Structures are given as structure tokens and as C-alpha cells.
Amino acid sequence: MLTKPKRLQPGSKVAAVCLSNGLASEYPELFAWGKKQLEEKFQLELIPMSHTLKTPVELYKNPSYRLEDFYEAWERPDIDGVISVIGGDDSVRLLKGLDRSRVIHNAKPFIGCSDTTVSHLFLNSCGISSFYGPAVLYGIADFAGMNLYSVESFRKTVMSGEVIGELRPYEGDSVAGFSSWKNPNLMALPPMRTNPPWRWLQGSQVKQGRLFGGCIEVICPIASATAIWPRTPDFWDDKILFLEYSHELANSEYTLWFFRSLAAQGIFERIQGLLLGRQHHLVQEEESEKILSSVVRVVRDEEGIPHLPIVADMDFGHVQPMLTLPYGALTEIDGKNQRISILESGTS
């Protein structure tokens, strides 16, 4: 089991870290808006680390700056939690410099998604639970204010210390287009669309397991070739795997290859369930359907596992609004009644 970090509370100080793209300085209005959302919705104080506000070029050329900020966030006694500013594509460049001994005895809530998957997998390898959820510039700095669905999930998962309970689909309009990050009208909603319901693709049994997963493009080809990807087959025996795309590789052919790779590792015959995030709005509906067909083709038809619960179009990952999911939390999938519940708290 993973060590749960202490819950954040009103008044807690949270470090903002750029572990990949250095966009906090490039979009200062949006960063300030995210800071304001954390203050207004949760009474959390967002504090940039020493290099967080450096330019994207500086942070790209100097991965050591990002690494120093990661350690600063974990080692400063006045910092209670850590939130990623945004994703990107090169957090993996920090792996060679990450030292487990500098974080393993000091669990703090760590929140983010997308390329932040690298950091989540690292912390998981250290035995520390973290949270797949919003980043400062994506999910927190929502235009027109942070969505109540995202607020309630974040608060219950990271700040309550209580059993999280049933996860419910978002019912309402979700983001379906971009708003400009340059000179933004922060109070104007972006293009919206009716949010699709969750889809139960197969599996009618009740299964329990512990949450593990992340962004597909980051897991493969980036993280799965490194030491932070689990190599022990029995690691998967008690897991519910959650996966989602950004949009760069979200197509049916890549899905077929990726899921065949997971199948070759014996993962589907061991896990207790599979949760799939709904697609980013840039992915066309026709391609989304083909992606799900590829998943079922591998799991049910090629691997012969029709009983594995698979739930698709869930509200986590590269979508707005979004759930916050705690790594390692015991979760139940009730296929008969089509319910998903997290059976414990996300924090201590």
C-alpha cells in the first residue's frame, strides 16, 4: 500500500512547479487567475518555487532548474502540497536526477495530469500516493471560474480526509474549444458541448482494486521504457488501471499497438478493471468510437477476457471539468449496478 499524504487545509501553502513546459511566465494573467481560484475556492496559497516563473526557454535548457524546484517543494517545511503548473513532453528528462531519499520520508499531496504522469509514477515507485487531477493552468484556471464538479472532487479527494465514495458522471456542458491564453477574457466561457455519459463497455461483476495509471502518450513510449514502470507481474493483481489520451496520439491504430503491449505484459489478465477518460475535444467522435473498438478488440477478442469491467468516457484527464483520482486508493467497480466508488480517503 502507498503512504497517504496529509490532507491540505484552508490556509495551506502549495508549491507551483514547472516540471515540463515553463508556461507560468508566458501566460501571467492565466497563472494569476489559477492562483486566485485556489484562494477563492479552497483558501490555498499558491507559491512559485525559485525557477517556476523563468521563461520556457530557460527551463527547457536547464532541466536542473526544474529538478531543484521539485526538491524545494518537497523539502521546504512551510510547503504543504505541490501542484504542477502544466504538462508538456519532457518531464522524463528529470528522471536521472530524481533521488528517492529526498522525498520518501516526506509525503505531501502532489497534483497534476498529462506529462506529470512521469512524476506520479516516480512517486508511486517511492511508495507515495499522489493525485491525477487539475494543473494550475489546466483545470484550475478555468475560464469563467473553476467548475463546481472539479472543485468538489478536488476538495473531497485532497482536502477532506474522508472516504471519497461514489464517483458520478458530470451532467452539464463541458469545454469543447479553446479560449485565447493571450490577453484572455477570463470571465467568458469557451465553446461548450453537452457532456457524454459514462459508457460501460463490458463486465457485470463487482471488482475491487487500487487505482494506477495516467496519460497514454506519456506511459508509452516515454515512461514504460524506464525504471518507474512496474516490472513485477504481481504488481498488477490488485490494480484498477485508469488511462486517458491527451490528443496527439489518440487514434485507433496507436490504441491497438499500445493495448497489445499491455496485453503482452500480462496486465489485462491480472487487473481488476479498466477506466478510460473521455477524449479531448480535438478528437473527432468517429475516431473516439474507433479507439474504444480497438480497446475491446484487444481485451475481449484477442485476449479472451470478456469479464474485465471497462468503463469509458469518464471525466478525468484532458477534459474540463475533471475528477481528481488518488493513486493507490481502494476502488470498487460494480458492473451490475454501474457504479464506481472509492472506498477510502485520499489523504490521512
Side-chain angles (χ1 to χ4, degrees):
M1 289 180 58
L2 302 179
T3 299
K4 294 181 183 180
K6 293 182 180 179
R7 67 185 178 93
L8 296 177
Q9 304 178 60
S12 291
K13 295 180 179 180
V14 180
V17 293
C18 289
L19 302 178
S20 191
N21 277 344
L23 298 184
S25 63
E26 190 165 339
Y27 300 102
E29 290 176 287
L30 195 65
F31 183 77
W33 182 247
K35 185 175 189 292
K36 183 177 181 181
Q37 295 302 301
L38 286 169
E39 291 170 350
E40 291 184 349
K41 302 298 192 303
F42 310 109
Q43 295 76 56
L44 298 175
E45 181 181 356
L46 186 67
I47 300 177
M49 296 293 94
S50 297
H51 306 290
T52 301
L53 300 180
K54 291 189 181 298
T55 68
V57 172
E58 287 178 292
L59 290 176
Y60 172 74
K61 289 184 175 180
N62 298 280
S64 61
Y65 290 171
R66 294 179 264 155
L67 198 59
E68 289 169 17
D69 282 359
F70 185 79
Y71 288 138
E72 180 183 354
W74 284 90
E75 295 174 347
R76 275 178 54 172
D78 63 322
I79 296 296
D80 304 299
V82 191
I83 298 182
S84 176
V85 170
I86 195 67
D89 61 11
D90 76 340
S91 289
V92 72
R93 294 174 67 202
L94 309 186
L95 272 185
K96 289 187 293 185
L98 286 172
D99 181 352
R100 287 177 170 80
S101 68
R102 298 182 68 172
V103 302
I104 199 167
H105 301 298
N106 194 21
K108 298 180 181 183
F110 176 81
I111 307 109
C113 60
S114 192
D115 194 47
T116 310
T117 297
V118 169
S119 302
H120 288 303
L121 297 185
F122 168 73
L123 291 173
N124 187 90
S125 74
C126 295
I128 297 173
S129 177
S130 55
F131 303 90
Y132 201 79
V136 176
L137 299 184
Y138 190 89
I140 292 174
D142 287 356
F143 283 71
M146 193 174 175
N147 187 283
L148 183 60
Y149 182 85
S150 301
V151 169
E152 290 178 344
S153 179
F154 183 98
R155 183 179 289 124
K156 180 173 281 190
T157 305
V158 184
M159 300 185 69
S160 76
E162 300 174 355
V163 172
I164 295 167
E166 186 176 354
L167 303 180
R168 297 182 181 276
Y170 173 66
E171 297 178 351
D173 291 340
S174 58
V175 171
F178 289 109
S179 294
S180 174
W181 285 16
K182 289 286 188 182
N183 303 313
N185 181 357
L186 295 167
M187 289 307 298
L189 282 171
M192 306 292 282
R193 66 180 177 188
T194 301
N195 202 50
W198 296 357
R199 297 170 60 180
W200 295 73
L201 302 183
Q202 66 172 45
S204 60
Q205 298 175 329
V206 176
K207 294 285 188 177
Q208 292 186 2
R210 297 191 177 277
L211 292 174
F212 179 84
C215 179
I216 292 174
E217 290 99 328
V218 179
I219 292 172
C220 185
I222 298 172
S224 62
T226 71
I228 58 174
W229 184 248
R231 292 287 186 268
T232 307
D234 62 6
F235 170 88
W236 301 101
D237 288 345
D238 68 341
K239 297 300 183 291
I240 289 175
L241 183 61
F242 67 88
L243 297 169
E244 58 95 18
Y245 275 112
S246 59
H247 62 82
E248 286 88 351
L249 295 177
N251 63 72
S252 57
E253 188 173 37
Y254 187 81
T255 301
L256 197 64
W257 299 337
F258 172 65
F259 274 76
R260 281 176 174 164
S261 173
L262 298 180
Q265 297 172 60
I267 290 174
F268 295 126
E269 61 196 49
R270 290 180 173 269
I271 62 174
Q272 304 303 306
L274 177 62
L275 308 179
L276 303 173
R278 62 185 166 87
Q279 299 300 332
H280 188 279
H281 63 79
L282 287 178
V283 182
Q284 297 298 313
E285 184 175 346
E286 181 180 1
E287 192 62 42
S288 296
E289 292 297 319
K290 291 180 179 179
I291 287 171
L292 296 184
S293 294
S294 291
V295 172
V296 173
R297 176 179 171 183
V298 172
V299 176
R300 185 191 66 194
D301 300 338
E302 297 180 357
E303 292 301 298
I305 312 176
H307 58 274
L308 180 71
I310 303 178
V311 188
D313 287 341
M314 292 186 64
D315 303 289
F316 65 85
H318 288 78
V319 295
Q320 294 171 280
M322 68 175 74
L323 293 165
T324 300
L325 299 178
Y327 280 80
L330 184 63
T331 300
E332 180 176 274
I333 302 176
D334 181 346
K336 181 178 180 180
N337 296 298
Q338 297 192 348
R339 286 201 298 259
I340 301 172
S341 301
I342 298 179
L343 304 179
E344 59 186 31
S345 64
T347 56
S348 62

